[in-house]
Structures are given as C-alpha cells and as structure tokens.
Amino acid sequence: MCLFLLITEDTCGGTVGGGSGVVTSPGYPNNYGNQADCTWILLAEPGDTISVIFTDFQTEEKYDYLEVEGSEPPTVW
C-alpha cells in the first residue's frame, strides 16, 4: 500500500509521492478562496494501492467537484 504526505496551508495542488499523511486545501480548516483550481497528483509504483480517506470534505453545490482518475471505473463526486 502507498500513502502520501503533503500538509500545506497556501498551496493549491501539486504532485506528491511516497510516505503517508494529509492533503488539505489552502487555509484549511477555513474556506478556500473563490476560483480555486486544485489538482493533486498522487504518484505510486505499478501494483501499489493508493488509499484516500476523507475525514472532512465539503464542496459548494454547482461549483465544486471531486474527480478521481486512475480508478476502475473512473469516479466523480
């Protein structure tokens, strides 16, 4: 299993590999700014499993979404 580490307060998106930890939005636990476009790429070796566990997740209806690519089948929330 491969988990990822990134704890950030002012960055929105990036590429992460190795370790374990937390990915957060800018300013968490406060709201992030309007027009935020955050794309996180989680890298793993072929055959590794990436586990994503949400402990606090909110979106603004009609504006925000979560898309997970690389899953079988692709998933959008």
Side-chain angles (χ1 to χ4, degrees):
M1 181 186 308
C2 191
L3 299 173
F4 298 91
L5 172 62
L6 183 61
I7 300 174
T8 179
E9 294 183 9
D10 58 358
T11 303
C12 190
T15 301
V16 185
S20 65
V22 178
V23 174
T24 65
S25 61
Y28 179 82
N30 298 315
N31 293 336
Y32 50 85
N34 289 333
Q35 307 300 317
D37 184 4
C38 305
T39 300
W40 295 102
I41 299 171
L42 307 179
L43 299 177
E45 295 296 322
D48 284 354
T49 299
I50 298 174
S51 295
V52 179
I53 300 169
F54 296 95
T55 57
D56 187 8
F57 184 81
Q58 297 178 20
T59 58
E60 185 176 359
E61 188 175 351
K62 298 183 183 179
Y63 295 99
D64 298 336
Y65 67 94
L66 168 69
E67 180 177 346
V68 178
E69 295 180 13
S71 59
E72 299 290 334
T75 307
V76 176
W77 287 277

